[in-house]
Amino acid sequence: MSERSRTEENIFAEFTKLVLATQLDEFRKIAVSMRTNLGKLFQGEINDVSIQARDFVKDEIQVQELEVKTDQISIDPLSMLLGKIRLSEPIDSEIRLTLSEQDLNQNMNSEYGKSLLKPIELTVDREIITLELLPPSAIRLLSDNKLRFTGTVEIKRAKQPQTLAFTCIICPRTETSPVRLETFCCTPNAGQSIPFMIALLQWMESILNRPYYEIEGIAFRCKALEIKNKVLTTELEIHARKVPDL
């Protein structure tokens, strides 16, 4: 690589770093590296992009560590000059994400986190029942590579609405076994029918067994997940049609 090409890459990497930094509320470290040249840059084409960020906060969302790697990315050059990053074409990336137990609970109970938890509908004995998760909820990272989720749902039905407190333990996906629901416990004497509980557990199982998930135009699949010392580290495969708004 020529010295000129390296200088062009460094300049654009620093500019990208500056754009990202201005859109975060707090951060401890941001590092950007990439491979490109001035001709490709004017066309919005960049190769081998790597982004690292540590201890950053944006709109109540907290992340301990984020690493993003992608082989090729096509962006709208004008969007960069306007302080935004917009994709010209979808990208496939690998992401390594590290969150503490505190990060997970803060993010889940933030306004953005609550906006992602949409009400669900179950059909029980030909009746449509709506369940809505009530804040706050809690996640505990357990020592045996499991996580415990505790919350309360409001059950909306034709007769008197009810609330149901629950606790479940989830075993994340490993190289040898799929993600699974280990236990699911409800408040004693909640008065829920067996068909209702069967429908609820079937819905939860369908969610856990999805091949991928999608949020705001970003599809992702969990490759690996490890829980250690109250910290969750996960590796994700991402297909993104756009960069999330920061």
Side-chain angles (χ1 to χ4, degrees), residues 142-172:
L142 308 181
S143 58
D144 48 359
N145 207 41
K146 301 175 184 179
L147 60 89
R148 183 169 66 208
F149 182 77
T150 303
T152 302
V153 295
E154 182 180 13
I155 305 171
K156 300 177 181 179
R157 57 206 320 169
K159 58 183 182 180
Q160 185 69 26
Q162 294 176 286
T163 58
L164 176 69
F166 69 92
T167 297
C168 62
I169 295 179
I170 299 173
C171 301

Side-chain angles (χ1 to χ4, degrees), residues 9-201:
E9 291 171 359
N10 290 341
I11 291 174
F12 190 69
E14 286 300 313
F15 181 69
T16 304
K17 175 180 173 180
L18 178 62
V19 171
L20 292 173
T22 58
Q23 298 180 60
L24 297 176
D25 297 330
E26 300 176 27
F27 67 92
R28 183 162 67 91
K29 176 184 177 182
I30 297 178
V32 178
S33 63
M34 58 184 63
R35 184 166 58 86
T36 189
N37 58 53
L38 193 59
K40 288 185 176 182
L41 186 56
F42 282 133
Q43 299 176 38
E45 298 180 5
I46 309 168
N47 297 324
D48 298 334
V49 181
S50 175
I51 299 174
Q52 293 181 317
R54 293 185 179 178
D55 296 333
F56 70 83
V57 179
K58 173 62 180 178
D59 294 337
E60 299 184 273
I61 300 298
Q62 300 178 173
V63 175
Q64 191 174 97
E65 186 172 348
L66 171 70
E67 296 181 19
V68 181
K69 293 182 179 180
T70 183
D71 291 336
Q72 185 172 345
I73 182 171
S74 296
I75 64 171
D76 177 3
L78 181 59
S79 70
M80 288 291 294
L81 297 177
L82 298 176
K84 293 286 185 179
I85 302 175
R86 292 191 173 91
L87 299 178
S88 300
E89 298 178 6
I91 60 170
D92 294 304
S93 305
E94 293 185 356
I95 292 182
R96 185 174 184 271
L97 192 62
T98 302
L99 302 106
S100 67
E101 185 176 273
Q102 179 182 348
D103 293 333
L104 289 167
N105 284 283
Q106 166 66 28
N107 298 344
M108 180 175 59
N109 291 294
S110 68
E111 290 303 316
Y112 178 73
K114 288 185 287 188
S115 72
L116 299 177
L117 301 173
K118 306 296 184 182
I120 67 169
E121 290 187 347
L122 301 177
T123 301
V124 181
D125 292 335
R126 296 190 296 275
E127 179 188 5
I128 302 298
I129 298 175
T130 302
L131 277 67
E132 184 173 355
L133 187 66
L134 302 177
S137 303
I139 291 179
R140 291 290 304 275
L141 300 178
L142 308 181
S143 58
D144 48 359
N145 207 41
K146 301 175 184 179
L147 60 89
R148 183 169 66 208
F149 182 77
T150 303
T152 302
V153 295
E154 182 180 13
I155 305 171
K156 300 177 181 179
R157 57 206 320 169
K159 58 183 182 180
Q160 185 69 26
Q162 294 176 286
T163 58
L164 176 69
F166 69 92
T167 297
C168 62
I169 295 179
I170 299 173
C171 301
R173 185 188 310 275
T174 67
E175 294 182 356
T176 58
S177 62
V179 59
R180 61 187 177 88
L181 180 66
E182 183 177 87
T183 62
F184 182 85
C185 302
C186 299
T187 303
N189 302 318
Q192 300 304 318
S193 67
I194 291 177
F196 171 84
M197 296 307 302
I198 291 175
L200 178 58
L201 292 174

